[in-house]
Amino acid sequence: MSSPDSGQPVSFVSKTDMVVALIREMIITGELPEGKQLRQRDLAARFQVSQTPVREAMRRLESEGLLVGDAHRGFTVVEAELGPTEENFLIRAVLESLGASMAAPKINQEAIATLERLNEEMRQLAEDDPRYAELNREFHFVIYEHAHSPLLLSLMRLLWHSLRGGPKVARTRQESVAQHAKIIDALRAGNADAASTATYQHIMHVSHLDRP
Amino acid sequence: MSSPDSGQPVSFVSKTDMVVALIREMIITGELPEGKQLRQRDLAARFQVSQTPVREAMRRLESEGLLVGDAHRGFTVVEAELGPTEENFLIRAVLESLGASMAAPKINQEAIATLERLNEEMRQLAEDDPRYAELNREFHFVIYEHAHSPLLLSLMRLLWHSLRGGPKVARTRQESVAQHAKIIDALRAGNADAASTATYQHIMHVSHLDRP
DNA sequence: AATTGAAATATGGTATACCAGAACTGTCGA
DNA sequence: TCGACAGTTCTGGTATACCATATTTCAATT
């Protein structure tokens, strides 16, 4: 193969990782609806890779709970809409506050800076800007990643997948930004307890306002 | 291939699944020490399969947090006792206590009776009976199911899949049974708080005794 | 006409061959 | 004698060819 390698950065881009990220994104954005049968050959052709990275990517996504596959029957996107949102927010609050407390003693200055940048971007967005959801997701996942627990990350991905499109949170963004700042402060101080509490209140506050 | 196929069971034994199970077992039993470099070709030769299933198996185990791999530098066994295990129990404790509190106001008499029967069976098992793990799993899942949250159930399946029973918790079974009884009492009383607390202590207690 | 079975096709599973990158070793120079 | 550089070799990553199985469709028989 002699692909042009259009702008490949320094290193470490495994095609499997790339495909994992792409499929995950397609599931999250809804481009791949629930129950969609995934054809290895189609995906391989679409991504310009062979079937092998696609297969490994599917295995990973299966372990993450986003896909489910039977032998010789292929992989399908798992059904996302699960249960009443009220309880889903409770689950999210509990898990995220744990993630924050786990991340607090481990997070570094660079990540803190990233969080502040993301929060600042969110602050400057218009209330109805659709990019808010993506920034918000990124903000929270930066925290989870610094909890250094692959299991927690998998759970979070599954969780956010099922909340997909859901959290309405239309008019409380400025308040969310303020709460994000509180979380950042607690993380910077390495205060696991405060980070946990702030995160819990952040999410449950949103979920309460979420109710009609 | 024209292998003798000694004993082909009824169905669906994917070689990848087989290799996943074998490697996991080797890690758990300590046959593969922490930090051990895994060579794909060696494993493929040992298991009489090609490299492809071995690679996919490693991807899955990486997602489960048992292995960690860098590009072109191979996979290594993660430090099991220190690593994510401790945190995985924390995650489980947090999620299960939430599940218990959600189930407390909803659970019915029939489920309570089922829980008592399961706990009684566990009490009567010998300490080293391998059926304990299965009963224990069933016990806990009966509770989650009565939380009536499909999302929680999905997360729990992913969680238990990663923990996969665990070789640990060998000698504290009778104590676990007693704690199960406490959980049952709280559920019967519809006391969400007590159920949550009892569950949390149950799981963390196990995880602490787990340490060498 | 309906139902069942057999053949064909499509799809996932597996093996193997090949490529790229990293580690190791040996030699040459300071 | 020590260090650095280059060549070799080992190992993981990728592609492709092939096999086994599941699904589907069409036809024949009841």
Side-chain angles (χ1 to χ4, degrees):
Chain A
M1 281 289 280
S2 62
S3 85
D5 272 346
S6 55
Q8 209 56 282
V10 279
S11 62
F12 72 89
V13 266
S14 157
K15 302 218 177 159
T16 298
D17 294 335
M18 192 184 75
V19 174
V20 165
L22 287 173
I23 296 181
R24 199 188 287 145
E25 208 59 24
M26 289 168 70
I27 293 175
I28 288 168
T29 61
E31 191 173 340
L32 293 177
E34 295 86 71
K36 172 74 172 181
Q37 280 270 344
L38 299 183
R39 302 300 175 200
Q40 299 183 351
R41 285 175 170 84
D42 294 349
L43 291 172
R46 158 137 37 156
F47 298 144
Q48 293 283 332
V49 298
S50 85
Q51 290 185 48
T52 312
V54 173
R55 291 186 50 73
E56 299 194 8
M58 285 179 166
R59 290 295 187 197
R60 297 234 315 234
L61 292 167
E62 185 188 27
S63 277
E64 289 179 12
L66 286 177
L67 298 181
V68 60
D70 296 315
H72 285 281
R73 295 183 58 179
F75 290 84
T76 56
V77 181
V78 80
E79 344 257 315
E81 307 310 325
L82 305 162
T85 43
E86 182 71 18
E87 290 164 352
N88 289 357
F89 272 96
L90 244 169
I91 296 168
R92 189 186 149 201
V94 160
L95 264 189
E96 293 214 26
S97 55
L98 174 64
S101 73
M102 284 166 61
K106 303 175 186 171
I107 202 166
N108 56 33
Q109 276 306 316
E110 186 186 339
I112 296 278
T114 303
L115 290 175
E116 285 177 330
R117 179 179 55 76
L118 288 169
N119 204 32
E120 188 56 33
E121 286 188 48
M122 282 187 268
R123 170 179 285 121
Q124 292 175 0
L125 282 184
E127 280 290 332
D128 57 351
D129 196 314
R131 295 191 343 171
Y132 181 90
E134 185 51 40
L135 287 172
N136 189 47
R137 178 191 165 89
E138 198 177 340
F139 179 92
H140 285 273
F141 271 86
V142 165
I143 300 178
Y144 315 148
E145 274 159 21
H146 282 80
H148 290 144
S149 168
L151 176 59
L152 185 74
L153 255 180
S154 294
L155 293 174
M156 284 300 180
R157 284 200 245 271
L158 186 54
L159 184 54
W160 279 69
H161 172 230
S162 52
L163 296 177
R164 171 172 68 88
K168 292 97 188 180
V169 303
R171 49 199 166 179
T172 59
R173 287 187 179 176
Q174 290 312 318
E175 200 147 357
S176 283
V177 168
Q179 292 177 326
H180 285 169
K182 258 182 81 174
I183 296 171
I184 294 175
D185 286 342
L187 289 175
R188 185 190 292 109
N191 188 337
D193 229 42
S196 171
T197 304
T199 302
Y200 189 92
Q201 289 176 346
H202 169 50
I203 294 166
M204 291 316 289
H205 181 226
V206 167
S207 101
H208 282 154
L209 288 184
D210 185 23
R211 305 196 65 183
Chain B
M1 279 287 280
S2 61
S3 80
D5 272 347
S6 54
Q8 198 61 276
V10 281
S11 61
F12 72 90
V13 268
S14 157
K15 302 218 175 159
T16 297
D17 294 334
M18 193 184 74
V19 173
V20 165
L22 287 173
I23 295 181
R24 206 179 312 170
E25 207 61 23
M26 288 167 72
I27 293 175
I28 288 169
T29 62
E31 190 173 341
L32 293 177
E34 292 88 68
K36 171 74 173 181
Q37 279 271 344
L38 299 183
R39 301 300 175 200
Q40 298 183 354
R41 286 173 169 85
D42 294 350
L43 292 171
R46 161 144 26 163
F47 298 144
Q48 293 283 331
V49 298
S50 85
Q51 290 185 47
T52 312
V54 173
R55 291 185 51 74
E56 299 193 8
M58 285 179 167
R59 290 295 187 197
R60 296 228 323 227
L61 291 167
E62 185 188 28
S63 278
E64 291 178 13
L66 283 176
L67 297 181
V68 61
D70 296 315
H72 284 280
R73 298 183 59 175
F75 290 85
T76 56
V77 181
V78 83
E79 339 265 317
E81 313 298 331
L82 316 171
T85 308
E86 184 74 17
E87 291 162 353
N88 286 356
F89 271 98
L90 246 169
I91 295 169
R92 192 187 145 198
V94 161
L95 264 190
E96 293 213 25
S97 55
L98 174 63
S101 73
M102 283 166 61
K106 303 175 187 172
I107 202 165
N108 55 32
Q109 275 307 316
E110 185 185 341
I112 296 280
T114 302
L115 289 174
E116 285 177 329
R117 176 178 57 76
L118 288 169
N119 204 31
E120 187 56 33
E121 285 187 50
M122 282 187 269
R123 171 178 282 119
Q124 293 175 359
L125 282 184
E127 281 289 332
D128 56 352
D129 196 315
R131 295 190 343 171
Y132 180 90
E134 185 50 41
L135 288 171
N136 189 47
R137 181 190 164 91
E138 198 178 339
F139 179 92
H140 285 273
F141 270 86
V142 166
I143 299 178
Y144 316 147
E145 276 161 19
H146 284 267
H148 289 144
S149 169
L151 175 60
L152 186 74
L153 252 180
S154 295
L155 293 175
M156 285 300 180
R157 290 208 189 92
L158 187 54
L159 183 54
W160 279 71
H161 177 235
S162 297
L163 299 176
R164 214 196 67 91
K168 315 110 210 244
V169 306
R171 52 198 164 177
T172 58
R173 288 186 179 177
Q174 291 312 317
E175 200 148 358
S176 282
V177 167
Q179 292 176 327
H180 285 167
K182 257 181 83 173
I183 296 171
I184 294 176
D185 286 342
L187 289 175
R188 185 192 290 108
N191 189 337
D193 228 41
S196 171
T197 304
T199 301
Y200 190 91
Q201 289 176 346
H202 168 51
I203 294 166
M204 290 317 289
H205 182 225
V206 167
S207 100
H208 281 154
L209 288 183
D210 182 26
R211 307 196 67 182

